[in-house]
Amino acid sequence: MDLDLRKLRYFVAVAEELHFGRAAERLHIAQPVLSRQIRALEDELRAQLFVRTKRATELTPAGRQLLDDARPLLSAADATRRRVAQAARGSKTFTIGFMPGLTVTEAVRAFGASHPDIDVELIRTTWNDQVDVLHDGRVDVSIVRLPIDQAGLTVRPLFEEPRVAMLPSDHRLAGKPVIDITDLADEHLLQDPDAVPEWRDIALELRTRTAKPIPAMRSVEEKLEHVATGRGISIIPLSVATFYRRPDVVAVPVTDLAHNSVCLAWVSTRRSRLIQEFAALAGTVDWNAAR
């Protein structure tokens, strides 16, 4: 049996919304049509994917498994479409993703000089999409910051750099030349605690279960706005703090924080000669000088 990608897209929309009405609006189709397509998918798979009551829609174990498998399948299909369309247009491009704070100029110039017939394009990524852009084909390679989900990817280390605490300029620790992570035990962290396990080990708000919600933030700029207004602190790589320097936020070194690892990543199944050449070139770049 061949999986119908359209039905899979419908399924993912319902699984993410957990509401058939909202999913139908998102897909721009009528709700009865969506319901029929989901029932058809369940019949094809011989598995119930959702449990629907008057109050809620929930995934079954089979549904959760399909959601895990469907997302990379759909991303791969999107990537294939992009590459085929690009080949049909006869365009020769190589796209590089990179995270905030990273300077890729030296690598891009060197690669462009070796391939003057290829247009090198750049996409700035975020913590939320630095892996997605690889799987869905928006970029050929991406310079990522760990940790990431490395499933299906080839990941090569480039360099490591310190992380610093971002504090409001009037914070009690703002004038310190260096601090320990224990100095931040009573602070509110404006990011997923799992991203800073050293803080998680000593955080009072986690021990007392008084942690405030973390606001939705889509960029470094938004994060620093929250820090500046005293809503919490953040731990970020030194190069990001340097790039986004501002007078109302102070970067303070933390002695016992693990360094952030920066790596080059690409989809493992891709056999592009250009990817291998860029990977070799990236290994020769002095990334410390570029920062």
Side-chain angles (χ1 to χ4, degrees), residues 272-284:
S272 166
R273 172 180 57 84
L274 293 177
I275 289 178
Q276 297 303 321
E277 289 185 16
F278 185 84
L281 184 152
T284 67

Side-chain angles (χ1 to χ4, degrees), residues 186-245:
D186 59 352
E187 300 292 340
H188 174 52
L189 189 69
L190 291 168
Q191 61 206 96
D192 185 345
D194 288 342
V196 192
E198 301 93 339
W199 178 84
R200 174 182 272 284
D201 290 341
I202 51 90
L204 294 179
E205 70 174 9
L206 297 182
R207 293 183 180 183
T208 58
R209 297 185 179 181
T210 58
K212 295 175 287 187
I214 300 173
M217 293 173 284
R218 296 174 296 277
S219 67
V220 177
E221 293 92 337
E222 290 180 5
K223 182 177 291 186
L224 294 183
E225 285 293 337
H226 284 285
V227 172
T229 54
R231 297 180 181 179
I233 68 162
S234 185
I235 304 295
I236 64 176
L238 177 59
S239 63
V240 179
T242 302
F243 191 86
Y244 291 93
R245 188 181 288 117

Side-chain angles (χ1 to χ4, degrees), residues 41-55:
L41 181 61
E42 290 178 323
D43 290 342
E44 291 169 8
L45 294 174
R46 297 179 182 178
Q48 183 179 1
L49 302 174
F50 297 100
V51 175
R52 299 177 68 178
T53 67
K54 292 182 178 180
R55 293 186 175 182

